[in-house]
Amino acid sequence: MSSPHSPMPPLLPPLAQDTSQSAPPPAPFPAPENVTNLELKARLLLLFMLLLVCGSTLYVLYARGAFESTQRLVLMAEDSEGVVAGMDITFAGFPIGRVQRIELAEDGKARILVDVAEKDAHWLRTSSVFTLVKGIVGGPNIRAYTGLMNDPPLPDGAVRTVLQGDASAEIPRVIAAAKDLIDNLNSLTGSSGSVGASLANLQVLTGRLNGPGGALTVLLGSEAEAKKFSATLDRTNSLLAKLDGIAAKTDSQVFGDKGVLPETRATVVQLNAMLGEARTSLRKVDAILVDAQAVAANAKDATSDLGALRGDVEASLRKVEALVTEINRKWPFARDAEIKLP
């Protein structure tokens, strides 16, 4: 047995040491001059970063108009809900000023202090109107409107009242109006409403239109009246048919081949021939009268010739009179020569 104080044997055999290759020496520390250059570069970098931050800050201030000359405008509003410092005031969609502070006035109204850049202050006139509009979605907007650009410019420190408009405040009114409209529609379209009664009357009217009398029953009020009107129309049609027959007979009697008008035309032709004969006889009379004046010695012969010519003229006149009498006897020139005693 081994002694309890004897050392324990190693678990792994010792590695054989290679004395042919030795480990490289450690790298030397940097020289003191290199440390000094690094510290200088770090200081320069910090200085550059400081200058960059300061330049950025100045640029942001310049971009926000911190170095621009401005004039003060005070807007009085009933409440400033939604208005915050830094909000823009716009004119025609372009920002011309910015809200700097909001105060509570002695009369309980909100004082909105606005700084307007002097380069944009010429857009504001004494007649300008300012509005504070609150939409349903998004924050409120402050807008300026100028209608007369010839008015004097707005002075520095001017106080103007803001016209407020809240679209969300109209929502309860719109809902109440819609409710009233729905109630009115329900009352109109109900069974006892005007629209319901009109629909019922329309249904009755449609039934009458589909009935025996059709539209006549609707127009005249009852089926009996519609039948009377139909009978009247039938009688009128029959009367018109009779009138057409009478007109056809009249045409055949007056304008036909054997009608009155062709006979009258032939009679007129004969009358014209007789009148021509009479005209010829009168010409002979004129010639004889000339001969009578020229030859005064042959008065007896001229007188006998005049007697014969007179007989010819009287015969022609009798023929004309007989022809006129015959024309008067024919229709439509015939006259009733009968004398009726009482």
Coordinates of all heavy atoms in Angstrom, one line a residue, residues 198-292:
S198 N -101.7 57.4 -51.7 CA -101.5 57.6 -53.1 C -101.3 56.3 -53.8 O -101.8 56.0 -54.9 CB -100.3 58.5 -53.4 OG -100.5 59.8 -52.8
L199 N -100.5 55.4 -53.2 CA -100.3 54.0 -53.8 C -101.6 53.3 -53.8 O -101.9 52.5 -54.8 CB -99.3 53.3 -52.9 CG -97.8 53.8 -53.0 CD1 -96.9 53.1 -52.1 CD2 -97.3 53.7 -54.4
A200 N -102.5 53.4 -52.8 CA -103.8 52.7 -52.8 C -104.6 53.2 -54.0 O -105.3 52.5 -54.7 CB -104.5 52.9 -51.5
N201 N -104.7 54.6 -54.1 CA -105.4 55.2 -55.2 C -104.9 54.7 -56.6 O -105.6 54.5 -57.5 CB -105.4 56.7 -55.1 CG -106.1 57.2 -53.9 OD1 -107.1 56.5 -53.4 ND2 -105.7 58.3 -53.4
L202 N -103.6 54.6 -56.6 CA -102.9 54.2 -57.9 C -103.3 52.7 -58.2 O -103.5 52.3 -59.3 CB -101.4 54.3 -57.8 CG -100.6 53.9 -59.0 CD1 -101.0 54.8 -60.2 CD2 -99.1 54.1 -58.7
Q203 N -103.4 51.9 -57.2 CA -103.8 50.5 -57.4 C -105.3 50.5 -57.9 O -105.6 49.7 -58.8 CB -103.7 49.8 -56.0 CG -103.9 48.3 -56.2 CD -103.6 47.5 -54.9 OE1 -103.3 48.2 -53.9 NE2 -103.8 46.2 -54.9
V204 N -106.1 51.3 -57.3 CA -107.5 51.3 -57.7 C -107.6 51.8 -59.2 O -108.4 51.3 -60.0 CB -108.4 52.2 -56.8 CG1 -109.8 52.4 -57.4 CG2 -108.4 51.7 -55.4
L205 N -106.8 52.8 -59.5 CA -106.8 53.3 -60.9 C -106.3 52.2 -61.9 O -106.8 52.1 -63.0 CB -105.9 54.5 -60.9 CG -105.6 55.2 -62.3 CD1 -107.0 55.7 -62.8 CD2 -104.6 56.3 -62.2
T206 N -105.3 51.5 -61.5 CA -104.8 50.4 -62.3 C -105.9 49.3 -62.5 O -106.0 48.8 -63.6 CB -103.5 49.8 -61.7 OG1 -102.6 50.8 -61.4 CG2 -102.9 48.7 -62.6
G207 N -106.6 49.0 -61.5 CA -107.7 48.1 -61.6 C -108.8 48.6 -62.6 O -109.3 47.8 -63.4
R208 N -109.1 49.9 -62.5 CA -110.1 50.4 -63.5 C -109.5 50.4 -64.9 O -110.3 50.1 -65.9 CB -110.4 51.8 -63.1 CG -111.3 51.9 -61.8 CD -111.7 53.3 -61.6 NE -112.5 53.4 -60.4 CZ -113.0 54.6 -59.9 NH1 -112.8 55.7 -60.6 NH2 -113.8 54.6 -58.8
L209 N -108.2 50.7 -65.1 CA -107.6 50.6 -66.4 C -107.7 49.2 -67.0 O -107.9 49.0 -68.2 CB -106.2 51.1 -66.3 CG -106.0 52.6 -66.1 CD1 -104.5 52.9 -66.0 CD2 -106.6 53.4 -67.3
N210 N -107.5 48.2 -66.1 CA -107.6 46.8 -66.6 C -109.0 46.3 -66.7 O -109.2 45.2 -67.2 CB -106.8 45.9 -65.6 CG -105.3 46.2 -65.6 OD1 -104.8 46.6 -66.6 ND2 -104.7 46.0 -64.4
G211 N -110.0 47.1 -66.3 CA -111.4 46.7 -66.4 C -112.0 46.8 -67.8 O -111.2 47.1 -68.8
P212 N -113.3 46.6 -68.0 CA -113.9 46.6 -69.3 C -113.8 47.9 -70.0 O -113.6 48.0 -71.2 CB -115.4 46.2 -69.0 CG -115.4 45.5 -67.7 CD -114.3 46.2 -66.9
G213 N -114.1 49.0 -69.2 CA -114.1 50.3 -69.9 C -112.7 50.9 -70.1 O -112.6 51.8 -71.0
G214 N -111.7 50.4 -69.4 CA -110.4 50.9 -69.6 C -110.2 52.3 -69.3 O -110.7 52.8 -68.2
A215 N -109.5 53.1 -70.1 CA -109.2 54.5 -69.8 C -110.4 55.3 -69.8 O -110.5 56.4 -69.1 CB -108.2 55.0 -70.8
L216 N -111.4 55.0 -70.6 CA -112.7 55.8 -70.6 C -113.4 55.7 -69.2 O -113.9 56.7 -68.8 CB -113.6 55.2 -71.7 CG -113.2 55.5 -73.1 CD1 -114.2 54.9 -74.1 CD2 -113.1 57.0 -73.4
T217 N -113.3 54.6 -68.6 CA -113.9 54.5 -67.2 C -113.2 55.4 -66.3 O -113.8 56.1 -65.4 CB -113.9 53.1 -66.7 OG1 -114.5 52.2 -67.7 CG2 -114.6 52.9 -65.4
V218 N -111.9 55.5 -66.4 CA -111.1 56.4 -65.5 C -111.4 57.8 -65.8 O -111.6 58.7 -64.9 CB -109.6 56.1 -65.7 CG1 -108.8 57.0 -64.8 CG2 -109.3 54.6 -65.2
L219 N -111.5 58.2 -67.1 CA -111.7 59.6 -67.5 C -113.1 60.1 -67.2 O -113.3 61.2 -66.7 CB -111.4 59.8 -68.9 CG -109.9 59.6 -69.4 CD1 -109.7 59.7 -70.9 CD2 -109.0 60.6 -68.7
L220 N -114.1 59.2 -67.5 CA -115.5 59.6 -67.3 C -116.1 59.3 -65.9 O -117.2 59.8 -65.6 CB -116.4 59.0 -68.4 CG -116.0 59.3 -69.8 CD1 -116.8 58.6 -70.8 CD2 -116.1 60.8 -70.1
G221 N -115.4 58.5 -65.1 CA -115.8 58.3 -63.8 C -116.6 57.0 -63.5 O -116.6 56.5 -62.4
S222 N -117.3 56.5 -64.5 CA -118.1 55.3 -64.3 C -118.2 54.5 -65.6 O -118.0 55.0 -66.7 CB -119.5 55.6 -63.8 OG -120.2 56.4 -64.8
E223 N -118.6 53.2 -65.5 CA -118.7 52.4 -66.7 C -119.8 52.8 -67.5 O -119.8 52.7 -68.8 CB -118.8 50.9 -66.2 CG -118.7 49.9 -67.4 CD -118.7 48.5 -66.9 OE1 -118.6 48.3 -65.6 OE2 -118.7 47.6 -67.7
A224 N -121.0 53.3 -66.9 CA -122.1 53.7 -67.7 C -121.8 54.8 -68.6 O -122.2 54.9 -69.8 CB -123.3 54.0 -66.7
E225 N -121.1 55.8 -68.0 CA -120.7 57.0 -68.9 C -119.8 56.5 -70.0 O -119.9 57.1 -71.1 CB -120.0 58.0 -68.0 CG -120.9 58.6 -66.9 CD -122.0 59.5 -67.5 OE1 -121.8 60.0 -68.7 OE2 -123.1 59.6 -66.9
A226 N -118.9 55.6 -69.7 CA -118.0 55.1 -70.8 C -118.8 54.4 -71.9 O -118.6 54.6 -73.1 CB -117.0 54.1 -70.2
K227 N -119.9 53.6 -71.5 CA -120.8 53.0 -72.5 C -121.5 54.1 -73.4 O -121.6 53.9 -74.6 CB -121.8 52.1 -71.9 CG -121.1 50.8 -71.3 CD -122.1 49.9 -70.6 CE -121.5 48.7 -70.1 NZ -122.5 47.8 -69.4
K228 N -122.0 55.1 -72.7 CA -122.7 56.2 -73.4 C -121.7 56.8 -74.4 O -122.1 57.1 -75.6 CB -123.2 57.2 -72.5 CG -124.4 56.8 -71.6 CD -124.8 57.9 -70.7 CE -126.0 57.4 -69.8 NZ -126.4 58.5 -68.9
F229 N -120.5 57.1 -74.0 CA -119.5 57.7 -74.9 C -119.2 56.8 -76.1 O -119.1 57.2 -77.2 CB -118.2 58.0 -74.1 CG -117.2 58.8 -74.9 CD1 -117.4 60.1 -75.1 CD2 -116.1 58.1 -75.4 CE1 -116.4 60.8 -75.8 CE2 -115.2 58.8 -76.1 CZ -115.3 60.2 -76.3
S230 N -119.1 55.5 -75.8 CA -118.9 54.5 -76.9 C -120.0 54.5 -77.9 O -119.8 54.5 -79.1 CB -118.7 53.1 -76.4 OG -117.5 53.1 -75.5
A231 N -121.3 54.6 -77.4 CA -122.5 54.6 -78.3 C -122.5 55.9 -79.1 O -122.8 55.9 -80.3 CB -123.7 54.5 -77.4
T232 N -122.1 57.0 -78.5 CA -122.0 58.3 -79.2 C -121.0 58.2 -80.3 O -121.2 58.7 -81.4 CB -121.7 59.4 -78.2 OG1 -122.6 59.4 -77.2 CG2 -121.7 60.7 -79.0
L233 N -119.9 57.6 -80.0 CA -118.8 57.4 -81.1 C -119.3 56.5 -82.2 O -119.1 56.8 -83.4 CB -117.6 56.8 -80.5 CG -116.7 57.7 -79.6 CD1 -115.5 56.9 -79.0 CD2 -116.2 58.9 -80.3
D234 N -120.1 55.5 -81.9 CA -120.6 54.6 -83.0 C -121.6 55.4 -83.8 O -121.6 55.3 -85.1 CB -121.3 53.4 -82.3 CG -120.3 52.5 -81.6 OD1 -119.1 52.5 -82.0 OD2 -120.8 51.7 -80.7
R235 N -122.5 56.2 -83.2 CA -123.5 57.0 -84.0 C -122.7 58.0 -84.9 O -123.1 58.2 -86.0 CB -124.4 57.7 -83.0 CG -125.4 56.7 -82.3 CD -126.2 57.5 -81.3 NE -127.1 56.6 -80.6 CZ -127.9 57.0 -79.6 NH1 -128.0 58.3 -79.3 NH2 -128.7 56.1 -79.0
T236 N -121.7 58.6 -84.3 CA -120.9 59.5 -85.1 C -120.3 58.9 -86.3 O -120.2 59.4 -87.4 CB -119.9 60.2 -84.2 OG1 -120.5 60.8 -83.1 CG2 -119.1 61.3 -84.9
N237 N -119.8 57.7 -86.1 CA -119.1 57.0 -87.2 C -120.2 56.6 -88.3 O -119.9 56.7 -89.5 CB -118.5 55.7 -86.7 CG -117.3 56.0 -85.8 OD1 -116.6 57.0 -86.0 ND2 -117.0 55.1 -84.9
S238 N -121.4 56.2 -87.9 CA -122.4 55.9 -88.9 C -122.8 57.1 -89.6 O -123.1 57.1 -90.8 CB -123.6 55.3 -88.2 OG -124.2 56.1 -87.2
L239 N -123.0 58.3 -88.9 CA -123.3 59.5 -89.5 C -122.3 59.9 -90.5 O -122.6 60.4 -91.6 CB -123.5 60.6 -88.5 CG -123.9 62.0 -89.0 CD1 -125.2 62.0 -89.7 CD2 -124.0 63.0 -87.8
L240 N -121.0 59.8 -90.2 CA -119.9 60.1 -91.1 C -120.0 59.2 -92.3 O -119.7 59.7 -93.5 CB -118.6 60.0 -90.4 CG -118.3 61.1 -89.3 CD1 -117.0 60.7 -88.6 CD2 -118.2 62.4 -89.9
A241 N -120.3 57.9 -92.1 CA -120.4 57.0 -93.3 C -121.5 57.5 -94.2 O -121.4 57.5 -95.5 CB -120.7 55.6 -92.8
K242 N -122.7 57.9 -93.7 CA -123.8 58.4 -94.5 C -123.4 59.7 -95.2 O -123.7 59.9 -96.4 CB -125.0 58.7 -93.6 CG -125.7 57.4 -93.0 CD -126.9 57.8 -92.2 CE -127.5 56.5 -91.6 NZ -128.7 56.8 -90.7
L243 N -122.7 60.6 -94.5 CA -122.2 61.8 -95.2 C -121.3 61.5 -96.3 O -121.3 62.2 -97.3 CB -121.6 62.7 -94.1 CG -122.5 63.4 -93.1 CD1 -121.7 64.2 -92.1 CD2 -123.5 64.3 -93.8
D244 N -120.4 60.5 -96.1 CA -119.5 60.1 -97.2 C -120.3 59.6 -98.4 O -120.0 59.9 -99.6 CB -118.6 59.0 -96.7 CG -117.6 59.5 -95.7 OD1 -117.3 60.7 -95.7 OD2 -117.0 58.7 -94.9
G245 N -121.4 58.8 -98.2 CA -122.2 58.4 -99.3 C -122.9 59.5 -100.0 O -123.0 59.6 -101.3
I246 N -123.5 60.5 -99.2 CA -124.1 61.6 -99.8 C -123.1 62.4 -100.6 O -123.4 62.9 -101.8 CB -124.8 62.5 -98.8 CG1 -125.9 61.7 -98.1 CG2 -125.3 63.8 -99.3 CD1 -126.5 62.4 -96.9
A247 N -121.9 62.6 -100.1 CA -120.9 63.3 -100.9 C -120.5 62.7 -102.2 O -120.3 63.3 -103.2 CB -119.6 63.5 -100.0
A248 N -120.5 61.3 -102.1 CA -120.1 60.6 -103.4 C -121.2 60.8 -104.4 O -121.0 61.0 -105.6 CB -120.0 59.1 -103.0
K249 N -122.5 60.7 -104.0 CA -123.6 60.9 -104.9 C -123.6 62.3 -105.4 O -123.9 62.6 -106.6 CB -125.0 60.6 -104.2 CG -125.2 59.2 -103.8 CD -126.6 59.0 -103.1 CE -126.8 57.5 -102.8 NZ -128.1 57.3 -102.1
T250 N -123.3 63.3 -104.6 CA -123.3 64.7 -105.0 C -122.2 64.9 -106.1 O -122.4 65.6 -107.1 CB -123.1 65.6 -103.8 OG1 -124.1 65.4 -102.9 CG2 -123.1 67.1 -104.3
D251 N -121.1 64.2 -105.8 CA -120.0 64.3 -106.8 C -120.4 63.7 -108.2 O -120.1 64.3 -109.2 CB -118.7 63.6 -106.3 CG -118.1 64.3 -105.1 OD1 -118.4 65.5 -105.0 OD2 -117.4 63.7 -104.3
S252 N -121.1 62.6 -108.1 CA -121.5 62.0 -109.4 C -122.6 62.8 -110.1 O -122.6 62.9 -111.3 CB -122.0 60.6 -109.1 OG -123.2 60.6 -108.3
Q253 N -123.5 63.4 -109.3 CA -124.5 64.2 -109.9 C -124.0 65.6 -110.4 O -124.5 66.1 -111.4 CB -125.7 64.5 -108.9 CG -126.5 63.2 -108.6 CD -127.5 63.5 -107.6 OE1 -127.7 64.6 -107.1 NE2 -128.3 62.4 -107.2
V254 N -123.1 66.1 -109.8 CA -122.6 67.5 -110.2 C -121.4 67.4 -111.1 O -121.4 68.0 -112.2 CB -122.2 68.3 -108.9 CG1 -121.6 69.6 -109.3 CG2 -123.5 68.5 -108.0
F255 N -120.4 66.5 -110.8 CA -119.2 66.5 -111.5 C -119.1 65.3 -112.5 O -118.1 65.0 -113.1 CB -118.0 66.5 -110.6 CG -117.9 67.7 -109.7 CD1 -118.3 67.6 -108.4 CD2 -117.5 68.9 -110.2 CE1 -118.3 68.7 -107.6 CE2 -117.5 70.0 -109.4 CZ -117.8 69.9 -108.1
G256 N -120.2 64.4 -112.5 CA -120.1 63.2 -113.4 C -120.3 63.5 -114.8 O -120.4 64.7 -115.2
D257 N -120.3 62.5 -115.7 CA -120.4 62.7 -117.1 C -121.8 63.3 -117.5 O -121.9 64.1 -118.4 CB -120.2 61.4 -117.8 CG -118.8 60.9 -117.7 OD1 -117.9 61.7 -117.4 OD2 -118.5 59.6 -117.8
K258 N -122.8 62.8 -116.7 CA -124.2 63.3 -117.0 C -124.7 64.3 -115.9 O -125.8 64.5 -115.7 CB -125.2 62.1 -117.0 CG -124.9 61.2 -118.2 CD -125.9 60.0 -118.2 CE -125.6 59.1 -119.3 NZ -126.6 58.0 -119.4
G259 N -123.7 64.9 -115.2 CA -124.1 65.8 -114.1 C -124.4 67.1 -114.6 O -124.5 67.4 -115.8
V260 N -124.7 68.0 -113.6 CA -125.1 69.4 -113.9 C -124.0 70.2 -114.5 O -124.2 71.0 -115.4 CB -125.7 70.0 -112.7 CG1 -126.1 71.5 -112.9 CG2 -126.9 69.2 -112.2
L261 N -122.8 70.0 -114.0 CA -121.7 70.9 -114.4 C -121.3 70.7 -115.8 O -121.1 71.7 -116.5 CB -120.5 70.6 -113.5 CG -119.3 71.5 -113.6 CD1 -119.7 72.9 -113.3 CD2 -118.1 71.1 -112.7
P262 N -121.2 69.4 -116.4 CA -120.9 69.3 -117.8 C -122.0 70.0 -118.7 O -121.7 70.6 -119.7 CB -120.8 67.8 -118.1 CG -120.5 67.3 -116.7 CD -121.2 68.1 -115.7
E263 N -123.3 69.8 -118.3 CA -124.4 70.4 -119.1 C -124.3 71.9 -119.0 O -124.5 72.6 -120.0 CB -125.7 69.9 -118.5 CG -126.0 68.4 -118.7 CD -127.3 68.0 -118.2 OE1 -128.0 68.9 -117.6 OE2 -127.7 66.8 -118.3
T264 N -124.0 72.4 -117.8 CA -123.8 73.9 -117.7 C -122.7 74.4 -118.5 O -122.8 75.5 -119.2 CB -123.6 74.2 -116.2 OG1 -124.7 73.7 -115.4 CG2 -123.5 75.7 -116.0
R265 N -121.6 73.6 -118.6 CA -120.5 74.0 -119.4 C -120.9 74.1 -120.9 O -120.5 75.0 -121.7 CB -119.3 73.1 -119.2 CG -118.1 73.5 -119.9 CD -116.9 72.5 -119.6 NE -116.5 72.5 -118.2 CZ -116.8 71.4 -117.5 NH1 -117.4 70.3 -118.0 NH2 -116.4 71.4 -116.2
A266 N -121.7 73.0 -121.4 CA -122.1 73.0 -122.8 C -123.1 74.2 -123.1 O -123.0 74.8 -124.1 CB -122.8 71.7 -123.1
T267 N -123.9 74.5 -122.1 CA -124.9 75.6 -122.3 C -124.1 76.9 -122.4 O -124.4 77.8 -123.1 CB -125.8 75.7 -121.1 OG1 -126.5 74.4 -121.0 CG2 -126.9 76.8 -121.3
V268 N -123.0 77.1 -121.5 CA -122.2 78.3 -121.6 C -121.5 78.4 -122.9 O -121.4 79.5 -123.5 CB -121.2 78.3 -120.4 CG1 -120.2 79.4 -120.6 CG2 -121.9 78.4 -119.1
V269 N -121.1 77.3 -123.5 CA -120.5 77.3 -124.8 C -121.5 77.8 -125.9 O -121.2 78.6 -126.8 CB -120.0 75.9 -125.2 CG1 -119.5 75.8 -126.6 CG2 -118.8 75.5 -124.3
Q270 N -122.7 77.2 -125.8 CA -123.8 77.7 -126.7 C -124.1 79.2 -126.5 O -124.3 79.9 -127.5 CB -125.1 76.9 -126.5 CG -124.9 75.4 -126.9 CD -126.2 74.6 -126.6 OE1 -127.2 75.2 -126.2 NE2 -126.1 73.3 -126.8
L271 N -124.1 79.6 -125.3 CA -124.3 81.1 -125.0 C -123.2 81.9 -125.6 O -123.5 83.0 -126.2 CB -124.4 81.3 -123.5 CG -124.7 82.7 -123.1 CD1 -126.0 83.2 -123.6 CD2 -124.7 82.8 -121.5
N272 N -122.0 81.5 -125.5 CA -120.9 82.2 -126.1 C -121.0 82.3 -127.6 O -120.7 83.3 -128.3 CB -119.6 81.6 -125.7 CG -119.2 81.8 -124.3 OD1 -119.6 82.7 -123.7 ND2 -118.5 80.8 -123.7
A273 N -121.5 81.2 -128.3 CA -121.7 81.2 -129.7 C -122.8 82.2 -130.1 O -122.7 82.9 -131.1 CB -122.1 79.8 -130.2
M274 N -123.9 82.2 -129.3 CA -125.0 83.1 -129.6 C -124.6 84.5 -129.4 O -124.9 85.4 -130.2 CB -126.2 82.8 -128.7 CG -126.9 81.5 -129.0 SD -128.3 81.2 -128.0 CE -128.9 79.6 -128.6
L275 N -123.8 84.8 -128.4 CA -123.3 86.1 -128.2 C -122.3 86.5 -129.3 O -122.3 87.7 -129.7 CB -122.5 86.2 -126.9 CG -123.4 86.1 -125.6 CD1 -122.5 86.1 -124.3 CD2 -124.4 87.3 -125.5
G276 N -121.6 85.6 -129.9 CA -120.8 85.9 -131.1 C -121.6 86.3 -132.3 O -121.3 87.2 -133.0
E277 N -122.7 85.5 -132.5 CA -123.6 85.9 -133.6 C -124.2 87.3 -133.4 O -124.3 88.1 -134.3 CB -124.8 84.9 -133.7 CG -124.3 83.5 -134.1 CD -125.4 82.5 -134.1 OE1 -126.6 82.9 -133.8 OE2 -125.2 81.3 -134.5
A278 N -124.6 87.6 -132.1 CA -125.1 88.9 -131.8 C -124.1 90.0 -132.1 O -124.4 91.1 -132.6 CB -125.6 89.0 -130.4
R279 N -122.8 89.7 -131.7 CA -121.8 90.7 -131.9 C -121.6 90.9 -133.4 O -121.4 92.0 -133.9 CB -120.5 90.1 -131.3 CG -119.4 91.2 -131.2 CD -118.1 90.6 -130.6 NE -118.4 90.3 -129.2 CZ -118.5 89.0 -128.7 NH1 -118.3 88.0 -129.6 NH2 -118.7 88.8 -127.5
T280 N -121.7 89.8 -134.2 CA -121.6 90.0 -135.7 C -122.7 90.8 -136.3 O -122.5 91.7 -137.1 CB -121.5 88.6 -136.3 OG1 -120.5 87.8 -135.8 CG2 -121.3 88.7 -137.8
S281 N -123.9 90.6 -135.8 CA -125.1 91.4 -136.2 C -124.9 92.8 -135.9 O -125.2 93.7 -136.7 CB -126.4 90.8 -135.6 OG -126.6 89.5 -135.9
L282 N -124.4 93.1 -134.7 CA -124.2 94.5 -134.3 C -123.1 95.2 -135.2 O -123.2 96.4 -135.5 CB -123.7 94.6 -132.9 CG -124.8 94.3 -131.8 CD1 -124.3 94.3 -130.4 CD2 -126.0 95.2 -131.9
R283 N -122.1 94.4 -135.6 CA -121.1 94.9 -136.5 C -121.8 95.3 -137.9 O -121.4 96.3 -138.5 CB -120.0 93.9 -136.7 CG -119.1 93.8 -135.5 CD -118.0 92.7 -135.7 NE -117.2 92.6 -134.5 CZ -116.3 91.6 -134.4 NH1 -116.1 90.7 -135.4 NH2 -115.5 91.6 -133.3
K284 N -122.7 94.4 -138.3 CA -123.4 94.7 -139.6 C -124.2 96.0 -139.4 O -124.3 96.8 -140.4 CB -124.3 93.5 -139.9 CG -123.5 92.3 -140.4 CD -124.5 91.2 -140.7 CE -123.8 89.9 -141.2 NZ -124.7 88.8 -141.5
V285 N -124.9 96.2 -138.3 CA -125.6 97.4 -138.0 C -124.7 98.6 -138.1 O -125.1 99.7 -138.7 CB -126.3 97.3 -136.7 CG1 -126.9 98.7 -136.3 CG2 -127.4 96.3 -136.7
D286 N -123.5 98.5 -137.5 CA -122.6 99.6 -137.6 C -122.2 100.0 -139.0 O -122.2 101.1 -139.5 CB -121.4 99.3 -136.8 CG -121.7 99.3 -135.3 OD1 -122.7 99.9 -134.9 OD2 -120.9 98.6 -134.5
A287 N -122.0 98.9 -139.8 CA -121.6 99.1 -141.2 C -122.8 99.7 -142.0 O -122.6 100.7 -142.8 CB -121.2 97.8 -141.8
I288 N -124.0 99.3 -141.7 CA -125.2 99.9 -142.4 C -125.4 101.3 -142.0 O -125.7 102.2 -142.9 CB -126.4 99.0 -142.1 CG1 -126.3 97.6 -142.8 CG2 -127.7 99.7 -142.6 CD1 -127.4 96.7 -142.4
L289 N -125.2 101.6 -140.8 CA -125.3 103.0 -140.3 C -124.3 103.9 -141.0 O -124.6 105.1 -141.4 CB -125.2 103.1 -138.8 CG -126.3 102.6 -138.0 CD1 -126.0 102.6 -136.5 CD2 -127.6 103.3 -138.3
V290 N -123.1 103.4 -141.2 CA -122.1 104.2 -141.9 C -122.5 104.4 -143.4 O -122.4 105.5 -143.9 CB -120.7 103.4 -141.8 CG1 -119.7 104.1 -142.8 CG2 -120.2 103.4 -140.4
D291 N -123.1 103.3 -144.0 CA -123.5 103.4 -145.3 C -124.7 104.4 -145.4 O -124.8 105.2 -146.4 CB -124.0 102.1 -145.9 CG -122.8 101.1 -146.1 OD1 -121.6 101.7 -146.2 OD2 -123.0 99.9 -146.1
A292 N -125.6 104.4 -144.4 CA -126.7 105.3 -144.4 C -126.3 106.8 -144.3 O -126.9 107.6 -144.9 CB -127.6 105.0 -143.2

